[in-house]
């Protein structure tokens, strides 16, 4: 479930335009952060201010990455993992609170989402080398160190302790959404009234384009990834997408996603794409991954607990499913 292997993607369409009156300029930059691609778009009164604020966004994402990355050995999360089964590790309050929210997600999904997924043994291969399914015994063993209930938080001392040696926590399914939210809030506090931060398909947008129109977000067709199946407006909200269409295997006519259910060790099946819309990218991020794992029926039941969020699912056989609260009127899909 790590984001670096999720191959989630949303194409971002930014329309450049001429301005009048209260002129604003739009600047965009693409860079690699948190193990993936970030597209940062800022609207400001002049080019210099826009570029300076893009620099600040990059600095903030880098700061967060250095705190929570489980592949940077000196990050606080890596220190927690290195001391699993040994001792609690003191962490910054924001790392503790992010872990708290991740545990709440783990509980809400009954382990379909699990912040301790990072300890899974990667027995499923999606590089074309697999010729048969792993054994049931190997699959069971692959998740024996996974279990959010073995995470101990001390909110007074601000420490995290993993009970079992070999346990690991990771924020591959929340971290980019969290970072985009933090950057949006930072820019709004500075008076930057419009922009987009898109972390490998985990996207938050605020304000409008310089011409006064909403941002246009293109959604990838999972059956033809070089095309879009819909373009939707986005204004002061977030959208995240999880998809299995880049990496999967087929055994006995059944399609197995590279997104693994951490509770069972088996790949997600039934859905090839889930997009979640709502006010917060971190929550949408966790929901899109969870819905892929839980499937259509259980996923829609979970979403009812989050009434501010709606979704569009595409099943493996090409059926498009929208949650009942999906209200985007200009949504005209073509699969």
């Amino acid at each position: 479930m790590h984001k670096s292997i999720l191959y989630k993607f949303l194409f971002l369409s930014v329309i450049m335009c001429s301005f009048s009156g209260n002129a604003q300029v739009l600047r965009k930059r693409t860079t690699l952060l948190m193990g993936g691609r970030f597209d940062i778009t800022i609207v400001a009164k002049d080019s210099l201010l826009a570029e300076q604020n893009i620099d600040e966004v990059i600095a903030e994402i880098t700061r967060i990455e250095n705190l929570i990355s489980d592949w940077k050995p000196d990050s606080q999360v890596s220190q927690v993992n290195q001391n699993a089964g040994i001792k609690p590790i003191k962490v910054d309050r924001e790392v503790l609170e992010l872990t708290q929210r991740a545990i709440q997600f783990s509980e809400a999904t009954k382990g379909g989402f699990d912040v301790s997924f990072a300890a899974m043994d990667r027995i499923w291969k999606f590089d074309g080398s697999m010729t048969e399914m792993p054994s049931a015994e190997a699959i069971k063993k692959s998740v024996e160190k996974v279990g959010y209930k073995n995470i101990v938080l001390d909110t007074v001392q601000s420490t995290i302790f993993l009970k079992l040696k070999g346990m690991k926590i990771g924020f591959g399914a929340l971290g980019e959404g969290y970072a985009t939210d933090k950057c949006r809030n930072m820019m709004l506090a500075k008076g930057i009234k419009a922009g987009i931060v898109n972390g490998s398909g985990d996207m938050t947008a605020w304000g409008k384009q310089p011409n006064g129109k909403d941002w246009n977000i293109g959604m990838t067709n999972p059956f033809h990834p070089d095309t879009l199946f819909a373009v939707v407006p986005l204004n002061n909200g977030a959208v995240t997408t999880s998809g299995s269409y880049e990496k999967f295997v087929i055994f006995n006519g059944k399609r197995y996603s590279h997104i693994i259910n951490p509770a069972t060790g088996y790949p997600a099946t039934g859905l090839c794409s889930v997009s979640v819309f709502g006010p917060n990218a971190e929550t949408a991020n966790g929901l899109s991954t969870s819905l892929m794992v839980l499937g259509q029926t259980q996923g829609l039941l979970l979403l009812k607990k989050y009434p501010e969020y709606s979704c569009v699912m595409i099943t493996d056989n090409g059926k498009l499913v929208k949650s009942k609260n999906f209200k985007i009127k200009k949504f005209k899909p073509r699969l």
Side-chain angles (χ1 to χ4, degrees):
M1 278 186 357
H2 195 282
K3 287 291 292 301
S4 64
I5 62 170
L6 278 182
Y7 291 88
K8 302 172 19 168
F9 204 74
L10 268 165
F11 289 98
L12 169 63
S13 172
V14 178
I15 301 173
M16 303 296 288
C17 53
S18 58
F19 326 124
S20 61
N22 186 20
Q24 296 278 289
V25 300
L26 181 153
R27 287 292 179 269
K28 179 180 176 181
R29 197 183 309 170
T30 297
T31 187
L32 294 177
L33 294 162
M34 301 182 80
R37 169 176 165 164
F38 268 77
D39 296 292
I40 302 159
T41 303
I42 293 293
V43 177
K45 64 181 181 180
D46 58 56
S47 298
L48 179 61
L49 184 61
E51 294 292 347
Q52 287 174 342
N53 281 284
I54 289 174
D55 289 340
E56 291 194 24
V57 167
I58 290 172
E60 176 66 359
I61 298 168
T62 302
R63 182 191 69 80
I64 293 169
E65 180 179 12
N66 289 334
L67 278 179
I68 69 171
S69 170
D70 59 316
W71 55 270
K72 285 182 175 288
D74 56 347
S75 74
Q76 291 187 5
V77 165
S78 289
Q79 291 171 35
V80 169
N81 293 341
Q82 291 159 14
N83 286 277
I86 300 172
K87 64 179 181 179
I89 295 298
K90 190 171 182 65
V91 297
D92 287 4
R93 179 60 58 172
E94 71 174 300
V95 176
L96 185 81
E97 291 175 351
L98 180 60
T99 306
Q100 280 182 312
R101 295 194 297 273
I103 291 173
Q104 290 167 3
F105 243 116
S106 304
E107 291 171 341
T109 61
K110 297 181 173 62
F113 174 100
D114 196 313
V115 67
S116 67
F117 75 92
M120 282 192 297
D121 183 21
R122 313 294 179 182
I123 60 170
W124 294 87
K125 310 295 181 185
F126 299 92
D127 57 3
S129 65
M130 284 187 72
T131 58
E132 61 182 8
M133 287 183 63
S135 68
E137 181 181 353
I139 292 170
K140 183 179 179 180
K141 184 175 175 58
S142 73
V143 295
E144 65 183 6
K145 298 295 186 182
V146 177
Y148 66 91
K149 292 181 180 179
N150 289 314
I151 303 170
V152 180
L153 304 183
D154 185 328
T155 56
V156 176
Q157 299 298 323
S158 192
T159 62
I160 302 175
F161 176 55
L162 309 181
K163 289 183 181 180
L164 305 178
K165 281 197 172 184
M167 273 192 76
K168 295 179 182 179
I169 58 172
F171 293 99
L174 286 182
E176 286 169 339
Y178 171 69
T180 63
D181 286 335
K182 289 282 286 185
C183 292
R184 173 196 60 196
N185 295 339
M186 180 178 71
M187 289 292 100
L188 285 169
K190 289 194 61 184
I192 299 299
K193 296 180 180 179
I196 298 179
V197 183
N198 177 14
S200 301
D202 296 333
M203 181 187 305
T204 186
W206 67 100
K208 294 179 180 288
Q209 298 183 60
N211 63 356
K213 294 183 178 180
D214 290 336
W215 303 102
N216 289 320
I217 307 304
M219 302 176 69
T220 302
N221 184 332
F223 302 107
H224 304 283
D226 57 340
T227 65
L228 303 179
F229 81 89
V231 176
V232 296
L234 187 65
N235 176 18
N236 295 324
V239 57
T240 71
T241 291
S242 293
S244 66
Y245 45 89
E246 291 283 356
K247 294 223 171 184
F248 58 90
V249 292
I250 298 175
F251 292 124
N252 300 320
K254 191 171 185 178
R255 193 171 182 271
Y256 293 90
S257 160
H258 68 284
I259 301 174
I260 309 295
N261 184 334
T264 66
Y266 283 85
T269 60
L271 299 173
C272 63
S273 178
V274 175
S275 296
V276 174
F277 297 79
N280 177 285
E282 178 192 323
T283 302
N285 197 174
L287 285 170
S288 62
T289 302
S290 300
L291 268 57
M292 277 291 297
V293 169
L294 296 174
Q296 177 182 333
T297 302
Q298 293 300 315
L300 290 174
L301 285 174
L302 171 67
L303 199 63
K304 286 184 178 180
K305 299 178 182 179
Y306 300 85
E308 291 183 293
Y309 294 82
S310 61
C311 79
V312 174
M313 301 175 170
I314 301 173
T315 67
D316 287 345
N317 60 12
K319 181 183 177 182
L320 190 139
V321 179
K322 295 183 287 185
S323 59
K324 289 184 178 180
N325 63 341
F326 187 80
K327 302 295 186 185
I328 298 177
K329 295 179 180 179
K330 295 183 180 180
F331 182 72
K332 297 179 180 179
R334 292 182 180 180
L335 284 174

Coordinates of all heavy atoms in Angstrom, one line a residue, residues 259-335:
I259 N -2.4 -3.2 -4.7 CA -2.8 -2.6 -3.4 C -3.2 -3.8 -2.5 O -4.2 -4.4 -2.7 CB -3.9 -1.6 -3.5 CG1 -3.4 -0.5 -4.4 CG2 -4.3 -1.0 -2.2 CD1 -4.5 0.6 -4.8
I260 N -2.5 -4.0 -1.4 CA -2.7 -5.2 -0.6 C -3.5 -4.9 0.6 O -3.3 -3.9 1.3 CB -1.3 -5.8 -0.1 CG1 -0.4 -6.0 -1.3 CG2 -1.5 -7.1 0.6 CD1 -0.8 -7.0 -2.4
N261 N -4.4 -5.8 1.0 CA -5.2 -5.7 2.2 C -4.3 -6.1 3.4 O -3.9 -7.3 3.5 CB -6.4 -6.6 2.1 CG -7.3 -6.5 3.3 OD1 -6.9 -6.1 4.4 ND2 -8.6 -6.8 3.2
P262 N -3.9 -5.2 4.2 CA -3.0 -5.5 5.3 C -3.6 -6.4 6.4 O -2.8 -7.0 7.2 CB -2.6 -4.1 5.9 CG -3.8 -3.3 5.6 CD -4.3 -3.8 4.3
A263 N -4.9 -6.6 6.4 CA -5.5 -7.5 7.3 C -5.4 -8.9 6.9 O -5.4 -9.8 7.7 CB -7.0 -7.1 7.6
T264 N -5.3 -9.1 5.6 CA -5.4 -10.5 5.1 C -4.1 -10.9 4.3 O -3.8 -12.1 4.2 CB -6.6 -10.7 4.1 OG1 -6.4 -9.9 3.0 CG2 -7.9 -10.3 4.8
G265 N -3.4 -9.9 3.7 CA -2.2 -10.2 2.9 C -2.6 -10.4 1.4 O -1.7 -10.6 0.6
Y266 N -3.9 -10.4 1.1 CA -4.3 -10.6 -0.2 C -4.5 -9.3 -1.0 O -5.0 -8.3 -0.3 CB -5.6 -11.4 -0.3 CG -5.4 -12.9 0.0 CD1 -5.4 -13.4 1.3 CD2 -5.3 -13.8 -1.0 CE1 -5.2 -14.7 1.6 CE2 -5.1 -15.2 -0.8 CZ -5.1 -15.6 0.5 OH -4.9 -17.0 0.8
P267 N -4.3 -9.3 -2.3 CA -4.5 -8.0 -3.0 C -6.0 -7.6 -3.1 O -6.9 -8.5 -3.0 CB -3.9 -8.3 -4.4 CG -3.1 -9.5 -4.2 CD -3.6 -10.3 -3.1
A268 N -6.2 -6.3 -3.2 CA -7.6 -5.9 -3.5 C -8.1 -6.3 -4.8 O -7.3 -6.4 -5.8 CB -7.6 -4.3 -3.4
T269 N -9.4 -6.7 -4.9 CA -10.0 -7.1 -6.1 C -11.3 -6.4 -6.3 O -11.9 -5.9 -5.3 CB -10.2 -8.6 -6.1 OG1 -11.1 -9.0 -5.1 CG2 -8.9 -9.4 -6.0
G270 N -11.8 -6.3 -7.5 CA -13.1 -5.8 -7.7 C -13.2 -4.3 -8.2 O -14.0 -4.0 -9.1
L271 N -12.2 -3.5 -7.8 CA -12.2 -2.1 -8.2 C -10.8 -1.8 -8.8 O -9.8 -2.3 -8.4 CB -12.4 -1.2 -7.0 CG -13.7 -1.3 -6.3 CD1 -13.7 -0.4 -5.0 CD2 -14.9 -0.9 -7.2
C272 N -10.8 -1.0 -9.9 CA -9.6 -0.6 -10.5 C -9.3 0.8 -10.3 O -8.1 1.3 -10.6 CB -9.5 -1.0 -12.0 SG -10.8 -0.1 -13.0
S273 N -10.2 1.6 -9.8 CA -10.0 3.0 -9.5 C -11.0 3.6 -8.6 O -12.2 3.2 -8.6 CB -10.0 3.8 -10.8 OG -9.8 5.2 -10.6
V274 N -10.5 4.4 -7.6 CA -11.4 5.1 -6.7 C -10.9 6.5 -6.5 O -9.8 6.7 -6.2 CB -11.4 4.4 -5.3 CG1 -12.3 5.2 -4.3 CG2 -11.9 3.0 -5.3
S275 N -11.8 7.4 -6.8 CA -11.5 8.9 -6.5 C -12.4 9.4 -5.4 O -13.6 9.1 -5.5 CB -11.7 9.7 -7.8 OG -10.8 9.3 -8.8
V276 N -11.8 10.1 -4.4 CA -12.6 10.6 -3.3 C -12.5 12.1 -3.3 O -11.4 12.7 -3.4 CB -12.1 10.0 -2.0 CG1 -12.8 10.7 -0.8 CG2 -12.4 8.5 -1.9
F277 N -13.6 12.8 -3.2 CA -13.7 14.2 -3.1 C -14.1 14.7 -1.7 O -15.0 14.1 -1.1 CB -14.7 14.8 -4.1 CG -14.4 14.5 -5.5 CD1 -14.6 13.2 -6.1 CD2 -13.8 15.4 -6.4 CE1 -14.3 12.9 -7.4 CE2 -13.5 15.2 -7.7 CZ -13.8 13.9 -8.2
G278 N -13.5 15.8 -1.2 CA -13.9 16.3 0.1 C -13.1 17.4 0.5 O -12.2 17.9 -0.3
P279 N -13.3 18.0 1.7 CA -12.6 19.2 2.1 C -11.1 19.0 2.5 O -10.3 19.9 2.6 CB -13.4 19.6 3.4 CG -14.0 18.4 3.9 CD -14.3 17.5 2.7
N280 N -10.7 17.7 2.8 CA -9.4 17.5 3.4 C -8.7 16.4 2.6 O -9.2 15.3 2.5 CB -9.6 17.1 4.9 CG -8.3 16.7 5.6 OD1 -7.8 15.6 5.4 ND2 -7.9 17.6 6.4
A281 N -7.5 16.6 2.1 CA -6.8 15.6 1.3 C -6.3 14.5 2.1 O -6.2 13.3 1.6 CB -5.6 16.3 0.6
E282 N -5.9 14.7 3.4 CA -5.4 13.6 4.2 C -6.5 12.5 4.4 O -6.3 11.3 4.2 CB -5.0 14.1 5.6 CG -4.5 13.0 6.5 CD -4.3 13.5 7.9 OE1 -3.9 14.6 8.1 OE2 -4.6 12.7 8.9
T283 N -7.7 13.0 4.7 CA -8.8 12.1 4.9 C -9.2 11.4 3.6 O -9.4 10.2 3.5 CB -10.0 12.8 5.5 OG1 -9.6 13.4 6.8 CG2 -11.2 11.9 5.8
A284 N -9.3 12.2 2.5 CA -9.6 11.7 1.2 C -8.6 10.6 0.8 O -8.9 9.6 0.2 CB -9.7 12.8 0.2
N285 N -7.3 10.9 1.1 CA -6.2 10.0 0.8 C -6.4 8.6 1.5 O -6.4 7.6 0.9 CB -4.9 10.6 1.4 CG -3.7 10.0 0.8 OD1 -2.6 10.6 1.1 ND2 -3.7 9.0 0.0
G286 N -6.7 8.7 2.8 CA -7.0 7.4 3.5 C -8.2 6.7 3.0 O -8.2 5.5 2.9
L287 N -9.2 7.5 2.7 CA -10.5 6.8 2.2 C -10.3 6.2 0.8 O -10.8 5.1 0.6 CB -11.6 7.9 2.1 CG -12.2 8.3 3.4 CD1 -13.1 9.5 3.3 CD2 -13.0 7.2 4.1
S288 N -9.6 6.8 -0.1 CA -9.4 6.2 -1.4 C -8.7 4.9 -1.4 O -9.1 3.9 -2.0 CB -8.7 7.2 -2.4 OG -7.4 7.5 -2.0
T289 N -7.6 4.8 -0.5 CA -6.9 3.6 -0.4 C -7.8 2.6 0.3 O -7.9 1.4 -0.1 CB -5.7 3.8 0.5 OG1 -4.8 4.8 -0.1 CG2 -4.9 2.5 0.7
S290 N -8.5 3.0 1.4 CA -9.4 2.0 2.1 C -10.5 1.5 1.2 O -10.8 0.3 1.3 CB -10.0 2.8 3.3 OG -9.0 3.2 4.2
L291 N -11.1 2.3 0.4 CA -12.2 1.9 -0.5 C -11.7 0.8 -1.5 O -12.4 -0.1 -1.8 CB -12.9 3.0 -1.2 CG -14.1 3.6 -0.4 CD1 -13.7 4.1 1.0 CD2 -14.7 4.8 -1.2
M292 N -10.5 1.1 -2.0 CA -9.9 0.1 -2.9 C -9.8 -1.3 -2.2 O -10.1 -2.3 -2.8 CB -8.5 0.5 -3.4 CG -8.5 1.5 -4.5 SD -9.0 0.8 -6.1 CE -7.8 -0.5 -6.4
V293 N -9.4 -1.3 -1.0 CA -9.2 -2.5 -0.3 C -10.5 -3.2 0.1 O -10.7 -4.4 0.0 CB -8.3 -2.3 1.0 CG1 -8.3 -3.5 1.9 CG2 -6.9 -1.9 0.6
L294 N -11.4 -2.4 0.6 CA -12.7 -2.9 1.1 C -13.6 -3.3 0.0 O -14.5 -4.2 0.2 CB -13.4 -1.9 2.0 CG -12.6 -1.5 3.3 CD1 -13.4 -0.4 4.0 CD2 -12.5 -2.7 4.2
G295 N -13.5 -2.7 -1.2 CA -14.4 -3.0 -2.3 C -15.7 -2.2 -2.3 O -15.9 -1.4 -1.3
Q296 N -16.5 -2.4 -3.3 CA -17.6 -1.5 -3.5 C -18.6 -1.4 -2.3 O -18.9 -0.4 -1.8 CB -18.4 -1.9 -4.8 CG -19.6 -1.1 -5.1 CD -20.3 -1.5 -6.3 OE1 -19.7 -2.1 -7.2 NE2 -21.6 -1.3 -6.4
T297 N -19.1 -2.6 -1.9 CA -20.2 -2.6 -0.9 C -19.7 -2.1 0.5 O -20.3 -1.2 1.0 CB -20.7 -4.0 -0.7 OG1 -21.2 -4.5 -2.0 CG2 -21.8 -4.1 0.3
Q298 N -18.6 -2.7 1.0 CA -18.1 -2.2 2.3 C -17.5 -0.8 2.2 O -17.6 -0.1 3.2 CB -17.0 -3.2 2.8 CG -17.6 -4.6 3.1 CD -18.6 -4.6 4.2 OE1 -18.5 -3.9 5.2 NE2 -19.7 -5.3 4.0
G299 N -16.9 -0.5 1.1 CA -16.4 0.9 0.9 C -17.4 1.9 1.0 O -17.2 3.0 1.6
L300 N -18.6 1.7 0.3 CA -19.6 2.7 0.4 C -20.2 2.8 1.8 O -20.6 3.9 2.3 CB -20.7 2.4 -0.6 CG -20.3 2.6 -2.1 CD1 -21.4 2.1 -3.0 CD2 -20.0 4.0 -2.4
L301 N -20.3 1.7 2.5 CA -20.7 1.7 3.9 C -19.8 2.6 4.8 O -20.2 3.3 5.6 CB -20.8 0.3 4.5 CG -22.0 -0.5 4.0 CD1 -21.9 -1.9 4.5 CD2 -23.3 0.1 4.5
L302 N -18.5 2.4 4.6 CA -17.5 3.2 5.3 C -17.6 4.7 5.0 O -17.6 5.5 5.9 CB -16.1 2.7 4.9 CG -14.9 3.6 5.5 CD1 -14.8 3.5 7.0 CD2 -13.6 3.2 4.8
L303 N -17.9 5.0 3.7 CA -18.0 6.4 3.3 C -19.1 7.1 4.0 O -19.1 8.3 4.2 CB -18.1 6.5 1.8 CG -17.7 7.8 1.2 CD1 -16.3 8.2 1.4 CD2 -18.0 7.8 -0.3
K304 N -20.2 6.4 4.4 CA -21.3 7.0 5.0 C -20.9 7.6 6.4 O -21.6 8.5 6.9 CB -22.4 6.0 5.2 CG -23.2 5.6 3.9 CD -24.3 4.6 4.2 CE -25.1 4.3 3.0 NZ -26.2 3.4 3.2
K305 N -19.8 7.1 7.0 CA -19.3 7.7 8.2 C -18.7 9.0 8.0 O -18.3 9.7 9.0 CB -18.4 6.7 8.9 CG -19.0 5.3 9.2 CD -17.9 4.4 9.8 CE -18.4 3.0 10.2 NZ -17.4 2.1 10.7
Y306 N -18.4 9.4 6.8 CA -17.7 10.6 6.4 C -18.6 11.4 5.5 O -18.3 11.5 4.3 CB -16.3 10.3 5.8 CG -15.4 9.5 6.7 CD1 -15.5 8.1 6.8 CD2 -14.5 10.2 7.5 CE1 -14.6 7.4 7.6 CE2 -13.6 9.4 8.4 CZ -13.7 8.1 8.4 OH -12.9 7.3 9.2
P307 N -19.7 12.0 5.9 CA -20.7 12.6 5.0 C -20.1 13.8 4.2 O -20.8 14.1 3.2 CB -21.8 13.1 6.0 CG -21.1 13.1 7.3 CD -20.1 12.1 7.4
E308 N -19.0 14.4 4.6 CA -18.5 15.5 3.8 C -17.7 15.0 2.5 O -17.3 15.7 1.7 CB -17.5 16.3 4.6 CG -18.2 17.1 5.7 CD -17.3 18.0 6.4 OE1 -16.4 17.5 7.1 OE2 -17.3 19.2 6.3
Y309 N -17.6 13.6 2.4 CA -16.7 13.0 1.4 C -17.6 12.2 0.4 O -18.6 11.5 0.9 CB -15.6 12.2 2.0 CG -14.6 13.0 2.7 CD1 -14.9 13.4 4.0 CD2 -13.5 13.5 2.1 CE1 -14.0 14.2 4.7 CE2 -12.6 14.3 2.8 CZ -12.9 14.7 4.1 OH -12.0 15.5 4.8
S310 N -17.3 12.3 -0.9 CA -18.0 11.5 -1.9 C -17.0 10.8 -2.7 O -15.8 11.1 -2.7 CB -18.9 12.4 -2.7 OG -18.2 13.4 -3.4
C311 N -17.5 9.8 -3.5 CA -16.5 9.1 -4.3 C -17.1 8.7 -5.7 O -18.3 8.6 -5.9 CB -16.1 7.8 -3.6 SG -17.2 6.5 -3.6
V312 N -16.2 8.4 -6.6 CA -16.4 7.7 -7.9 C -15.6 6.5 -7.9 O -14.4 6.6 -7.8 CB -16.1 8.6 -9.0 CG1 -16.3 7.9 -10.4 CG2 -17.0 9.9 -9.0
M313 N -16.2 5.3 -8.1 CA -15.5 4.1 -8.2 C -15.6 3.5 -9.7 O -16.7 3.7 -10.3 CB -16.1 3.0 -7.3 CG -16.0 3.4 -5.8 SD -16.9 2.0 -4.9 CE -16.5 2.5 -3.2
I314 N -14.6 2.8 -10.1 CA -14.7 2.1 -11.4 C -14.4 0.7 -11.1 O -13.3 0.4 -10.6 CB -13.8 2.7 -12.5 CG1 -14.1 4.2 -12.7 CG2 -13.9 1.9 -13.8 CD1 -13.2 4.9 -13.6
T315 N -15.3 -0.2 -11.4 CA -15.1 -1.7 -11.1 C -14.2 -2.3 -12.2 O -13.9 -1.7 -13.3 CB -16.4 -2.4 -11.1 OG1 -17.0 -2.5 -12.4 CG2 -17.4 -1.8 -10.1
D316 N -13.7 -3.5 -11.9 CA -12.8 -4.2 -12.8 C -13.5 -4.5 -14.2 O -12.8 -4.6 -15.2 CB -12.3 -5.5 -12.2 CG -11.3 -5.3 -11.1 OD1 -10.7 -4.2 -11.0 OD2 -11.0 -6.3 -10.4
N317 N -14.8 -4.6 -14.1 CA -15.5 -4.8 -15.4 C -16.1 -3.6 -16.1 O -16.9 -3.7 -17.0 CB -16.6 -5.9 -15.2 CG -17.7 -5.4 -14.2 OD1 -17.7 -4.2 -13.8 ND2 -18.5 -6.3 -13.7
G318 N -15.6 -2.4 -15.6 CA -15.9 -1.2 -16.3 C -17.2 -0.4 -15.8 O -17.6 0.6 -16.4
K319 N -17.8 -0.9 -14.7 CA -19.0 -0.2 -14.2 C -18.6 1.0 -13.4 O -17.6 0.9 -12.6 CB -19.8 -1.2 -13.3 CG -21.1 -0.6 -12.8 CD -21.8 -1.6 -11.9 CE -23.0 -1.0 -11.2 NZ -23.7 -1.9 -10.3
L320 N -19.2 2.1 -13.6 CA -19.0 3.3 -12.8 C -20.0 3.5 -11.7 O -21.2 3.4 -11.9 CB -19.0 4.6 -13.7 CG -18.5 5.9 -13.1 CD1 -17.7 6.7 -14.1 CD2 -19.7 6.7 -12.6
V321 N -19.5 3.6 -10.5 CA -20.3 3.7 -9.3 C -20.0 5.0 -8.6 O -18.9 5.3 -8.2 CB -20.1 2.5 -8.3 CG1 -20.9 2.6 -7.1 CG2 -20.3 1.2 -9.0
K322 N -21.1 5.8 -8.3 CA -20.9 7.0 -7.5 C -21.6 6.9 -6.2 O -22.7 6.2 -6.1 CB -21.6 8.2 -8.3 CG -20.9 8.5 -9.6 CD -21.5 9.7 -10.3 CE -22.9 9.4 -10.9 NZ -23.4 10.5 -11.6
S323 N -21.1 7.5 -5.1 CA -21.8 7.5 -3.9 C -23.0 8.4 -4.0 O -23.1 9.3 -4.8 CB -20.8 8.0 -2.8 OG -20.4 9.3 -3.1
K324 N -24.0 8.1 -3.1 CA -25.2 8.8 -3.3 C -25.1 10.3 -3.0 O -25.9 11.1 -3.5 CB -26.3 8.3 -2.3 CG -26.8 6.9 -2.6 CD -27.8 6.4 -1.7 CE -28.3 5.0 -2.1 NZ -29.4 4.5 -1.2
N325 N -24.1 10.7 -2.3 CA -23.9 12.2 -2.0 C -23.0 12.9 -3.0 O -22.5 14.0 -2.8 CB -23.3 12.4 -0.6 CG -22.0 11.8 -0.4 OD1 -21.5 10.9 -1.1 ND2 -21.3 12.2 0.6
F326 N -22.6 12.2 -4.1 CA -21.8 12.8 -5.1 C -22.6 13.9 -5.9 O -23.6 13.6 -6.5 CB -21.3 11.7 -6.1 CG -20.3 12.3 -7.1 CD1 -19.0 12.4 -6.8 CD2 -20.7 12.6 -8.4 CE1 -18.0 12.9 -7.7 CE2 -19.8 13.1 -9.3 CZ -18.4 13.2 -9.0
K327 N -22.2 15.1 -5.8 CA -23.0 16.3 -6.3 C -22.4 17.1 -7.4 O -22.9 18.2 -7.7 CB -23.3 17.2 -5.1 CG -24.0 16.5 -3.9 CD -25.4 16.0 -4.3 CE -26.1 15.5 -3.0 NZ -27.4 14.9 -3.4
I328 N -21.3 16.7 -8.0 CA -20.7 17.5 -9.0 C -21.5 17.4 -10.3 O -21.5 16.4 -11.0 CB -19.2 17.0 -9.3 CG1 -18.4 17.2 -8.0 CG2 -18.6 17.8 -10.4 CD1 -17.0 16.7 -8.1
K329 N -22.2 18.5 -10.6 CA -23.1 18.5 -11.7 C -22.5 18.4 -13.1 O -23.1 17.8 -14.0 CB -24.0 19.8 -11.6 CG -24.9 19.9 -10.4 CD -25.6 21.2 -10.4 CE -26.5 21.3 -9.1 NZ -27.3 22.6 -9.1
K330 N -21.3 18.9 -13.2 CA -20.6 18.9 -14.5 C -19.9 17.6 -14.8 O -19.1 17.5 -15.8 CB -19.6 20.1 -14.6 CG -20.3 21.4 -14.6 CD -19.3 22.6 -14.8 CE -20.0 23.9 -14.8 NZ -19.1 25.0 -14.9
F331 N -20.1 16.6 -14.0 CA -19.4 15.3 -14.1 C -20.0 14.5 -15.2 O -21.2 14.1 -15.1 CB -19.4 14.5 -12.8 CG -18.7 13.2 -12.9 CD1 -17.3 13.2 -12.9 CD2 -19.4 12.0 -12.8 CE1 -16.6 11.9 -12.9 CE2 -18.8 10.8 -12.9 CZ -17.4 10.8 -12.9
K332 N -19.3 14.4 -16.4 CA -19.9 13.6 -17.5 C -18.9 12.6 -18.0 O -18.1 12.9 -18.9 CB -20.2 14.6 -18.7 CG -21.3 15.6 -18.3 CD -21.6 16.5 -19.4 CE -22.7 17.5 -19.0 NZ -23.0 18.5 -20.1
P333 N -18.9 11.4 -17.3 CA -17.8 10.4 -17.6 C -18.0 9.7 -19.0 O -19.1 9.5 -19.4 CB -18.0 9.5 -16.5 CG -19.4 9.5 -16.1 CD -19.8 11.0 -16.3
R334 N -16.9 9.4 -19.5 CA -16.9 8.6 -20.8 C -15.8 7.5 -20.7 O -14.6 7.8 -20.8 CB -16.6 9.5 -22.0 CG -17.7 10.4 -22.3 CD -17.3 11.2 -23.6 NE -18.4 12.2 -23.9 CZ -18.3 13.0 -25.0 NH1 -17.3 13.0 -25.7 NH2 -19.3 13.9 -25.2
L335 N -16.2 6.3 -20.3 CA -15.2 5.2 -20.2 C -15.1 4.5 -21.5 O -16.0 4.4 -22.3 CB -15.7 4.2 -19.1 CG -15.4 4.7 -17.7 CD1 -16.1 3.7 -16.7 CD2 -13.9 4.8 -17.4

